Amino acid sequence: MQSVRTPSSANGPAMLSSIISRLREHQRATQVLILLTLVIAFAANIYGIFTGITIVLPHLFYIPIILAAFFYPRRGILFATALCAVYLLIVTSVYPGNSPEFLSAVARCIVYLIIAIVVSWLSEQAKDQKNGLVRAKEEWEITFDAVPDLIALIGKDYRILRVNKAMAESLGISPEQAVGLICYEVVHHTSAHPAFCPHAKLMKDGQGHAAEVHENNLGGNFLITTTPLHDSGGNLIGSVHIARDITKRKKAEQALKESEERYRTILENIQDVYFRFDEESLLVMMSPSAVRTFGYHSVEEVLGCPATTFWKNPKEWAHMIDTMKKQDGSVQDWQAEFVRMDGTPFWVSVSARLYTDDAGEYQGTEGIIRDISVRKQMEEALKGTLTKLNMLSSITRHDILNQITGLRTYLELSKEDLKGTRFEEFVDKEVQAAEAIQRQIEFTKYYQDIGVNAPKWQEAGPVIREAAAQLNFPAPDLNVMVDGLEIFADPLIAKVFFNLMENSLRHGERVTAMSFSSRVTDTGLVITYCDNGVGITEEDKKKLFRKGFGKHTGLGLFLSREILAITGISIVEKGEPGAGAGVRFEITVPKEGYRHYP
């Protein structure tokens, strides 16, 4: 059964606390009270000493001692000591020697001092406790107002008992103005609480509740939670109502949801095959398009299979992974031969990247597989057509050159017959025209093979050594430092390296050493070719790659640049003319045009 306090028991401590608070606020009144009780106690005891009343009246000293020790803890003991000294002096003057009255007075003084010490200690403890409570209350007040969530203490009648600063600002009023207002009137602008109201539910079952709501009046989405609020007797008097602004979170969730839906739509409708393998090269994800591309009945049929299941040459998978690890973690348009479910081989282009966790640890590989079988067929068909055209061009060129040879023979005979006449000059011009035609026809022989065969990945080191083996000059010291690199280029790239070395031997005058080296830059891979010949003058550098420039055919460097340009590779000469450092050609391969191999 719950106890009920009587008015006297309830009001007594409150009245006493009020009196003490007022005395603390008015120091002079406290001092007067202590002095008054002290005078009364001494007057009564002096009267008692002379009249023989020495047992009851000394108890009056408790009052000033307790008051002094309570209100002035640090000075209360000194006050009691001084009181005892004066009291003993009075007793000694009336009862000299070790009379029983003197001994009783000493015993009383000891009690006075003990009381003073105990009251002073208790007063200090009470003071410290009160200060602690004040500090705690101040800290709670600061914390309450510093919390960014909207907090309100709401009573059973839906009236606001208190709000923090954030809640008051959201309502556009001060915390003091919010007290006493009906919560749903100022928050929702309604005449009754809404159906979702967690406070209303709490009032019914006494349990905490939560709800996510959108509130236009507060300008956003909020997570509202309510916690029961009880009085000192354990009675439910309301709730602690907390509203957390989750507008940004809801927008982020909505954006994530839309992004996932778009991602799912793209993945389900993509024509290429999206794949993901884990760190053990086991398939963990693949787009539905894989069913059509690989000929399987469902994606689930191949989940968990190793990556080598799809490669015609399983070693090519490991080669691609090693290449990605040595480069920037990705490859573009990696062409490989795959196999379908029935074992049929077909060509694909793989663009992939390595993905890692937050700590940078390798987690697997993901990317896109594109079926390029049709493209490969078209390339083969185009290659066959170009081969036929080149054959026709070769035959036609051969026939034309034969006719030009006959024409030049007859022109030479005509020149002999017309020597000394005015027609000799005409014949000379005809001979020059025939020679120009012959040079143009011969140039097509050099140019016809460029681009005939599709570009492919080629090992730079072996290609350079193969080109060096074709030199007709005595081989100088050749240093090739580009091993471990593959370049995506036209098959005629060997002619590029050959032309560079041949030009060094033909025009370098004193070349005894040649070298190829490589370095990776922000723009791609740079292959540098150097010799120790006489180098190239600044004037010749301007015309170096022009068609027809040079001391031999004038086609080597022009054709070299054309061959490299097919796959986006560029070439420049950066040697220092006149310094005796020889030539320095820099061949720049774009990032997607080179890869490392073990």
Side-chain angles (χ1 to χ4, degrees), residues 10 120 131 199 235 251 330 515 522:
S120 295
N131 290 337
H199 177 78
N235 301 308
K251 288 182 179 179
S330 65
S515 67
D522 293 338

Side-chain angles (χ1 to χ4, degrees), residues 413-425:
L413 292 175
S414 298
K415 183 176 180 181
E416 289 295 327
D417 292 341
L418 298 174
K419 183 178 290 186
T421 68
R422 64 189 183 87
F423 298 104
E424 181 179 6
E425 182 180 353

Side-chain angles (χ1 to χ4, degrees), residues 282-444:
L282 299 179
L283 183 65
V284 294
M285 186 176 182
M286 188 168 273
S287 62
S289 54
V291 174
R292 179 186 66 256
T293 302
F294 290 98
Y296 291 96
H297 299 96
S298 66
V299 173
E300 290 72 18
E301 186 178 355
V302 291
L303 291 179
C305 292
T308 52
T309 303
F310 309 99
W311 295 73
K312 184 177 181 181
N313 181 7
K315 294 182 179 179
E316 188 72 11
W317 165 257
H319 185 189
M320 187 182 78
I321 296 296
D322 289 340
T323 300
M324 286 193 287
K325 289 181 178 179
K326 291 177 181 179
Q327 295 181 169
D328 59 354
S330 65
V331 292
Q332 299 292 328
D333 195 25
W334 182 290
Q335 296 188 17
E337 203 168 5
F338 275 33
V339 289
R340 303 188 197 276
M341 181 183 177
D342 58 5
T344 304
F346 68 107
W347 281 92
V348 300
S349 168
V350 181
S351 296
R353 73 175 186 91
L354 305 177
Y355 65 91
T356 59
D357 58 16
D358 294 338
E361 294 294 329
Y362 171 65
Q363 295 294 302
T365 309
E366 65 179 357
I368 296 293
I369 299 171
R370 173 168 293 178
D371 186 345
I372 58 171
S373 301
V374 175
R375 192 180 86 186
K376 278 289 186 180
Q377 293 172 358
M378 294 177 63
E379 288 176 353
E380 290 299 322
L382 180 60
K383 181 179 178 181
T385 302
L386 289 174
T387 300
K388 293 177 181 179
L389 288 174
N390 281 339
M391 184 180 297
L392 176 62
S393 174
S394 178
I395 294 172
T396 303
R397 180 173 58 252
H398 183 268
D399 291 344
I400 292 175
L401 288 175
N402 286 340
Q403 294 297 322
I404 290 176
T405 300
L407 175 61
R408 291 187 63 183
T409 301
Y410 284 115
L411 287 174
E412 289 295 333
L413 292 175
S414 298
K415 183 176 180 181
E416 289 295 327
D417 292 341
L418 298 174
K419 183 178 290 186
T421 68
R422 64 189 183 87
F423 298 104
E424 181 179 6
E425 182 180 353
F426 297 153
V427 174
D428 287 336
K429 294 185 179 297
E430 291 168 355
V431 170
Q432 293 174 5
E435 290 176 348
I437 293 172
Q438 184 174 0
R439 286 195 300 271
Q440 293 290 338
I441 296 300
E442 288 176 343
F443 171 71
T444 62

Side-chain angles (χ1 to χ4, degrees), residues 214-251:
H214 177 77
E215 180 52 61
N216 291 325
N217 297 320
L218 298 180
N221 295 287
F222 293 86
L223 171 62
I224 300 176
T225 59
T226 55
T227 305
L229 181 64
H230 299 93
D231 62 12
S232 58
N235 301 308
L236 180 66
I237 61 173
S239 72
V240 179
H241 185 287
I242 301 176
R244 173 166 293 179
D245 191 341
I246 58 172
T247 305
K248 291 183 179 179
R249 193 194 78 185
K250 295 295 287 186
K251 288 182 179 179

Side-chain angles (χ1 to χ4, degrees), residues 157-158 181-194 197:
D157 57 356
Y158 295 90
L181 299 178
I182 304 297
C183 63
Y184 51 77
E185 291 181 354
V186 295
V187 175
H188 306 293
H189 296 178
T190 59
S191 58
H193 66 76
C197 180

Side-chain angles (χ1 to χ4, degrees), residues 27 34 121 131 266 287 318 344 373 482 513:
Q27 294 290 320
I34 294 172
W121 181 80
N131 290 337
I266 292 172
S287 62
T344 304
S373 301
V482 293

